[in-house]
């Protein structure tokens, strides 16, 4: 290898390529020592070739014939996901910093070079709108091979990109080699590119950009046989709150084989029932794209995980609305109101709902099930002043209020006269609709678990925003209280508890599946 490094740049490129191909051929040897050494050498030389060509930056390749370092190369995708285009960018996984994931990297040693494969967002298929607008980032394992067969593809060397998640082995002769893998680097790269941290705060006070970014987004490629975990963030939040938890789930081979992670992004400026309506709409839209026939096994056993207000939304997604919720806001039946048909349809969807089908597990994390005193302070007043004009659904409600002034409860009229109803005001413990909808519990058959935070010296006991009296929900299968501020999903003990719940959930489904004829 030292002899190669002493050559000219082009000679080094050629030498590393031939080293990698010859070592790969030797991987088919029957002798254990030879095949082990050959696999290691093939990996080292493939990496050296990549580094020589990349010169410290990413490289772009196109499936089929490409030119790297002045050499014609055939790029071959093996088991790579449909979310990637034919032209992609490649970067070594170990060059991606893990800062967004608190330094935690889930990787496995083995044959080949772990890479991050990046593709620009697509727009030619309905599923494209379920991929993050920052782009698609996926793991791959790379190595170089000699062309197989006489005159195969003009005898061009082959650069292989294989999906280590779906195809974790490479076969050479009769020998099997477990691939090297890094599942954290693609996610960390995505987090480095996102603008969600800034947009989330603007979204709470009415900024329109996060509204354009709202929806349900797939962290992995859709698999009709894997159980979805739908994560719902809280007020002024974003899927960044799920970074460490999502990384932990993907880094657990058993859980990653069983579950697929979906992140909800929503503009968190609207009242609670409006946010529930928005999130249901995003989930409905995703299913229309992913499973229009409604037959996929993924439709059953869905898990919701909600942080802060996202936990309250998760509870209401699994609950049945009652006349008491309607009566908390209105004094007259819905069919007696005078309003535009589209406004009435929105109003009906907001106030009349049924448990979302297919969900059988909810994990609440620092969720203010009975409101939060923090919503009554300066922040609540500030959001009320800034946010309300940017809530489309509330504009329709205000038109209904104007046309039906005698059909609105006096308490709601008072709130509208002195301020505005927003996500923050709807979390006040004494808000009339909140008092009614806090009684709505998940439907029978939906298990739920509670994780809450508490800080020393905080009065009343809680995480500084949500008191334990609001976060602890009767009927929870399990309850865990961790020492934490409001960012409970970042706590290692909370993450460990979620992983435990998911394993138990998956094992329970295995038992049910095995007993169904």
């Amino acid at each position: 290898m030292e002899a190669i490094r002493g050559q000219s740049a082009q000679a080094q490129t050629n030498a590393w390529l031939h080293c990698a191909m010859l070592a790969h051929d030797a991987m088919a040897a029957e002798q254990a020592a030879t095949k082990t050494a050959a696999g290691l050498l093939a990996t080292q030389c493939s990496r050296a070739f990549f580094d020589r060509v990349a010169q410290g930056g990413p490289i772009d390749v196109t499936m089929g014939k490409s030119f790297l370092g002045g050499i014609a190369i055939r790029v071959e995708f093996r088991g790579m996901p449909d979310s990637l285009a034919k032209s992609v960018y490649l970067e070594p996984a170990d060059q991606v910093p893990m800062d967004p994931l608190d330094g935690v990297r889930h990787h496995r040693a083995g044959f080949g070079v772990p890479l991050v494969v990046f593709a620009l967002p697509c727009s030619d298929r309905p599923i494209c709108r379920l991929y993050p607008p920052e782009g698609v980032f996926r793991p791959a394992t790379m190595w170089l091979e000699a062309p197989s067969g006489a005159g195969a593809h003009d005898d061009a060397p082959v650069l292989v990109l294989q999906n280590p998640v779906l195809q974790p082995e490479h076969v050479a002769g009769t020998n099997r080699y477990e691939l090297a893998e890094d599942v954290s680097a693609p996610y960390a790269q995505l987090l480095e590119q996102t603008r969600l941290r800034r947009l989330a705060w603007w979204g709470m006070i009415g900024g329109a950009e996060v509204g354009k970014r709202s929806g349900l987004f797939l962290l992995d490629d859709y698999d009709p046989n894997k159980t979805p975990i739908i994560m719902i963030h809280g007020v002024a939040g974003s899927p960044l709150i799920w970074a460490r938890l999502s990384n932990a789930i993907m880094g657990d081979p058993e859980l990653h084989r069983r579950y697929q992670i979906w992140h909800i992004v929503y503009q968190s400026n609207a009242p609670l029932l409006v946010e529930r309506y928005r999130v249901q709409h995003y989930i409905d839209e995703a299913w229309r794209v992913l499973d229009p026939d409604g037959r996929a096994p993924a439709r059953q056993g869905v898990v919701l995980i909600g942080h802060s207000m996202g936990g309250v939304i998760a509870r209401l997604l699994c609950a049945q609305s009652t006349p008491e919720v309607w009566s908390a806001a209105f004094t007259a039946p819905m069919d007696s109101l005078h309003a535009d048909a589209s406004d009435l349809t929105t109003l009906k969807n907001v106030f009349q709902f049924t448990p979302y089908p297919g969900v059988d597990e909810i994990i609440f994390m620092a969720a203010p099930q009975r409101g939060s005193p923090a919503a009554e302070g300066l922040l609540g007043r500030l959001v009320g002043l800034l946010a309300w004009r940017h809530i489309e659904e509330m504009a329709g409600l205000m038109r209904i209020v104007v046309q039906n002034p005698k059909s609105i409860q006096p308490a709601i009229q008072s709130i509208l006269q002195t301020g505005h109803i927003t996500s923050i005001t709807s979390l006040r413990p004494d808000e009339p609709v909140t008092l009614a909808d806090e009684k709505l519990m998940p439907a029978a058959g939906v298990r739920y678990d509670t994780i809450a935070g508490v800080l020393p010296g905080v009065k009343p006991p809680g995480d500084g925003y949500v008191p334990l009296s609001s976060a602890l929900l009767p009927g929870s299968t399990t309850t865990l209280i961790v020492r934490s501020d409001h960012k409970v999903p970042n706590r290692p003990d909370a993450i460990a508890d979620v992983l435990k719940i998911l394993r138990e959930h998956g094992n329970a489904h295995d038992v049910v599946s095995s007993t169904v004829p």
Side-chain angles (χ1 to χ4, degrees):
M1 287 192 175
E2 290 302 321
I4 294 178
R5 293 188 177 94
Q7 300 176 14
S8 67
Q10 188 60 55
Q12 284 187 47
T13 303
N14 291 330
W16 290 126
L17 173 63
H18 288 288
C19 169
M21 292 191 295
L22 291 172
H24 180 267
D25 288 343
M27 287 170 59
E30 295 183 2
Q31 296 85 359
T34 300
K35 68 181 184 182
T36 299
L40 179 61
L41 183 61
T43 297
Q44 292 174 337
C45 293
S46 293
R47 175 60 186 267
F49 172 82
F50 186 98
D51 289 344
R52 182 72 251 166
V53 171
Q55 294 293 301
I59 63 174
D60 62 275
V61 299
T62 300
M63 185 168 59
K65 196 168 185 178
S66 289
F67 285 88
L68 296 177
I71 303 171
I73 298 284
R74 177 164 58 90
V75 177
E76 187 172 307
F77 288 11
R78 297 182 185 173
M80 296 302 291
D82 294 337
S83 57
L84 292 171
K86 292 184 178 180
S87 294
V88 297
Y89 295 88
L90 309 176
E91 183 174 2
D94 60 12
Q95 291 183 1
V96 176
M98 289 293 107
D99 297 346
L101 298 176
D102 200 33
V104 178
R105 182 190 297 273
H106 295 284
H107 61 106
R108 179 184 68 210
F111 168 67
V113 182
L115 300 179
V116 174
V117 182
F118 162 63
L120 296 172
C122 62
S123 59
D124 57 339
R125 294 160 286 159
I127 199 172
C128 292
R129 63 178 179 263
L130 301 181
Y131 298 140
E134 294 84 0
V136 177
F137 300 81
R138 297 291 185 263
T141 305
M142 182 275 293
W143 66 88
L144 294 159
E145 295 181 0
S148 59
H153 297 275
D154 300 324
D155 292 328
V158 180
L159 185 148
V160 177
L161 295 173
Q162 184 160 313
N163 185 341
V165 178
L166 294 182
Q167 297 180 207
E169 289 186 332
H170 173 55
V171 178
T174 59
N175 300 326
R176 294 183 174 274
Y177 293 83
E178 186 177 43
L179 297 189
E181 175 188 52
D182 189 321
V183 296
S184 296
Y187 186 32
Q189 193 79 303
L190 169 63
L191 295 175
E192 279 290 326
Q193 301 297 320
T194 188
R195 297 165 54 225
L196 278 174
R197 191 181 307 279
R198 180 176 63 85
L199 294 180
W201 277 99
W202 283 108
M204 183 184 67
I205 60 174
E209 286 302 313
V210 78
K212 298 175 184 177
R213 174 69 167 77
S214 295
L216 184 150
F217 298 94
L218 310 179
L219 206 55
D220 288 318
D221 282 72
Y222 171 65
D223 186 330
N225 296 305
K226 292 174 71 171
T227 299
I229 300 173
I230 304 178
M231 299 182 176
I232 309 170
H233 64 77
V235 173
S238 77
L240 296 178
I241 192 66
W242 305 119
R244 298 176 189 178
L245 176 59
S246 297
N247 186 41
I249 294 171
M250 292 189 295
D252 185 301
E254 175 193 347
L255 295 180
H256 200 191
R257 282 192 298 268
R258 187 187 301 276
Y259 295 102
Q260 53 193 328
I261 299 173
W262 300 356
H263 285 166
I264 296 287
V265 178
Y266 67 95
Q267 189 170 5
S268 62
N269 59 342
L272 186 55
L273 291 184
V274 173
E275 299 291 15
R276 182 214 166 278
Y277 164 66
R278 290 175 173 179
V279 172
Q280 177 179 333
H281 172 71
Y282 300 146
I283 300 173
D284 286 342
E285 285 294 300
W287 281 126
R288 275 191 277 272
V289 171
L290 300 173
D291 182 39
D293 296 332
R295 299 177 180 177
R299 291 261 190 175
Q300 303 302 316
V302 175
V303 178
L304 303 181
I305 305 180
H307 171 242
S308 193
M309 189 170 77
V312 186
I313 293 171
R315 171 171 60 82
L316 294 175
L317 280 169
C318 296
Q320 172 71 54
S321 61
T322 63
E324 287 74 20
V325 175
W326 173 263
S327 298
F330 296 90
T331 61
M334 181 179 297
D335 56 13
S336 70
L337 299 179
H338 302 286
D340 180 82
S342 62
D343 288 343
L344 287 174
T345 297
T346 299
L347 186 68
K348 181 178 181 180
N349 290 333
V350 168
F351 276 89
Q352 297 181 3
F353 47 86
T354 58
Y356 201 87
V359 178
D360 69 359
E361 178 85 41
I362 315 173
I363 303 174
F364 301 120
M365 306 189 79
Q369 305 290 3
R370 299 177 187 84
S372 170
E376 299 176 317
L378 177 62
L379 178 61
R381 293 194 295 272
L382 176 65
V383 173
L385 289 171
L386 299 176
W388 72 277
R389 289 186 176 89
H390 303 275
I391 306 173
E392 180 180 349
E393 299 88 348
M394 289 302 295
L397 175 59
M398 291 304 297
R399 289 190 291 267
I400 293 175
V401 169
V402 170
Q403 296 176 61
N404 304 268
K406 296 182 180 180
S407 299
I408 311 301
Q409 288 286 2
I412 299 297
Q413 286 278 20
S414 176
I415 294 175
L416 293 174
Q417 289 170 1
T418 59
H420 304 284
I421 301 175
T422 64
S423 56
I424 299 295
T425 58
S426 70
L427 290 177
R428 292 176 181 170
D430 60 349
E431 199 276 328
V433 178
T434 297
L435 289 172
D437 66 39
E438 73 179 30
K439 300 174 184 177
L440 304 182
M441 298 298 289
V446 179
R447 161 183 156 147
Y448 52 95
D449 301 86
T450 296
I451 304 175
V454 64
L455 289 175
V458 170
K459 300 294 183 182
D463 61 22
Y465 287 92
V466 179
L468 285 180
S469 59
S470 182
L472 301 183
L473 196 62
S476 295
T477 302
T478 65
T479 297
L480 175 68
I481 300 174
V482 298
R483 182 167 177 164
S484 175
D485 59 13
H486 193 50
K487 296 180 180 179
V488 170
N490 287 337
R491 288 287 307 167
D493 40 1
I495 292 173
D497 196 52
V498 173
L499 300 188
K500 178 183 176 183
I501 292 168
L502 292 175
R503 291 189 190 97
E504 293 173 352
H505 174 264
N507 292 336
H509 272 265
D510 286 345
V511 171
V512 171
S513 299
S514 65
T515 57
V516 174

